[in-house]
Structures are given as C-alpha cells and as structure tokens.
Amino acid sequence: MKKMMVVTLACVLLSGSMAFTATSAPKTIDIVLNEKEIKTQAGTEAKLIDNRVYIPTTVLRSARFSVEYKNSTLHLVNSYFHYTKNLMEMHVFNHVFTTRFNKIDQEVVNILGKVILEEPTDFSRLHEFIEEAGSNAGISPDNFTPVLDYNSFDFSPVRESVEAYKKAVDELIAYVDTGDKEKLKSFYQARKQALEYYDSYTNVYDLIFKASFTSAIK
C-alpha cells in the first residue's frame, strides 16, 4: 500500500495522464503514457528505490516533455500542451472572426437592396462591423506554436479579407454618392476578392487545425 501511494504521487506531479505500473521486479518498473508503454533503453529504465520512483530525464523527453533544471527547480513542459493551446486559440478566434465577417456580408446585402430600390442608406453599422472584424484579424505569434510548415502568419488571409471589404464599401459609398457605375463595378470586384480571401482563410484554418489536432494526440 505504501508503494502505491508513492507511485500515485509521482504520477500527479508529472502529468495527469501518465500512469506508472510497478512490476514484481524490485528495481525497474514499466511506464505507460496514455495507454501506451514508453520503451526505454538499457540503463535508462525507471526504478523503484526505497519506495520512490526515479525516472531518468531521457524517459521524460521520450514522452514529449521538455526538461530543464535551473535555480534548484526542475521545469517540465508537456509538448502536447502547446498544440492543445493552438486548438483552443484557433477555436475562439475562428468563432469571433467568422461571426463578424458574416455580419459584414449580411449588412452589405441589406444595403444593396436599398440601393437597388433607391432608398436612403445608412453605412454606420457596416463601418462598425468592419472595425470589429479588423480588431480580430489574426492570432499573435506568442499564442501559437508552429506546426508542420504552418505558423501564425498563415492566417493573413483574414486581414486581407477585411481590407478588401473596406475597399469594397468605399466603392459602394462612392457609387451611392455619384451614381458612377464604374464605382459599382469596382465594389463587386473588391467584394469578390474579400470573399476569396475568406475562403482561403477557411481552407488554411482547416489544415492547421487538423495538423495541431494530430500533433496533440499522437
């Protein structure tokens, strides 16, 4: 009973998902991480000595922990955490941005209907939506861990889509003020580009999300 309590304590200190299985051998034990045994080389096995579990840092590194000892403190970081954080950051960012972008597009459709009917138009809400979307137009490199060949700069189509929509709105306002159909044509072209940037973002988002998810669970 005493041995099991010591082993459980070590498990909590290192990782909530790491389990230690003591064998009948008095000196070495097996290590199982996420239901998968960590293979060790001769001389690097975890050992049970005086009812305490001793784990070489090479074993921890093979379990994807970064290990650093400084100022009398052992610093452990599980690399799974970085990719899990990616998933959380991306989920929140995507929800906020797509919601705001869809508000922009819906408001543009509403305004176009009024323009066609030659009714008074108010662009104030549209400007607010664009400003909101622009304030959430990327993920900070400090909050994103590169995965495969992707990094935070690969989300750049987000900002490009907002900038393209800004240009589209300026052209639409110019058309309302002047009646110049070239301005209307420019509006449609800029809006089309904004939607293309948005599609590009959704594609790269899916790729990066899948890559982060794979790295978090493998």
Side-chain angles (χ1 to χ4, degrees):
M1 184 64 179
K2 185 176 181 181
K3 290 182 179 181
M4 287 299 296
M5 291 179 66
V6 173
V7 170
T8 301
L9 177 59
C11 172
V12 172
L13 289 175
L14 293 177
S15 171
S17 61
M18 181 175 286
F20 298 90
T21 305
T23 68
S24 59
K27 293 184 179 180
T28 63
I29 64 173
D30 298 328
I31 301 177
V32 177
L33 174 64
N34 297 332
E35 304 302 325
K36 183 178 180 181
E37 183 178 355
I38 298 176
K39 300 298 183 180
T40 58
Q41 297 179 351
T44 64
E45 302 92 344
K47 294 183 178 181
L48 187 63
I49 303 174
D50 295 332
N51 296 331
R52 294 182 181 275
V53 176
Y54 292 85
I55 305 175
T57 57
T58 54
V59 176
L60 294 173
R61 291 191 177 100
S62 67
R64 295 179 62 180
F65 281 85
S66 64
V67 183
E68 183 179 5
Y69 182 77
K70 60 181 180 181
N71 299 326
S72 300
T73 303
L74 185 64
H75 296 267
L76 302 176
V77 177
N78 191 327
S79 62
Y80 294 98
F81 166 77
H82 296 298
Y83 301 111
T84 301
K85 184 179 179 182
N86 276 6
L87 297 175
M88 293 187 292
E89 290 286 342
M90 290 176 64
H91 174 72
V92 173
F93 168 74
N94 184 65
H95 174 72
V96 173
F97 174 70
T98 56
T99 298
R100 291 174 175 176
F101 188 90
N102 289 332
K103 283 184 178 181
I104 294 174
D105 205 51
Q106 185 59 54
E107 184 66 11
V108 164
V109 172
N110 294 338
I111 289 176
L112 279 176
K114 293 182 179 181
V115 169
I116 292 173
L117 296 175
E118 298 183 349
E119 295 179 354
T121 55
D122 182 1
F123 288 89
S124 59
R125 291 187 63 196
L126 185 54
H127 286 305
E128 290 177 5
F129 294 155
I130 290 177
E131 184 175 353
E132 286 180 352
S135 68
N136 183 57
I139 296 179
S140 170
D142 296 335
N143 297 327
F144 186 84
T145 298
V147 55
L148 296 181
D149 294 328
Y150 302 111
N151 56 53
S152 62
F153 296 103
D154 288 301
F155 295 103
S156 60
V158 168
R159 184 168 299 281
E160 292 167 339
S161 67
V162 175
E163 292 299 324
Y165 235 134
K166 283 183 180 179
K167 180 179 179 181
V169 171
D170 288 342
E171 295 300 315
L172 183 58
I173 292 175
Y175 168 71
V176 172
D177 291 341
T178 66
D180 184 352
K181 291 187 177 181
E182 287 299 317
K183 295 296 183 181
L184 184 60
K185 183 178 179 180
S186 295
F187 156 75
Y188 279 113
Q189 290 175 340
R191 179 173 181 254
K192 179 182 177 181
Q193 189 174 47
L195 295 175
E196 288 174 349
Y197 280 133
Y198 180 79
D199 287 341
S200 178
Y201 156 70
T202 58
N203 289 333
V204 75
Y205 174 87
D206 289 341
L207 292 173
I208 298 176
F209 193 91
K210 290 177 181 177
S212 295
F213 180 79
T214 300
S215 295
I217 64 174
K218 71 178 182 179

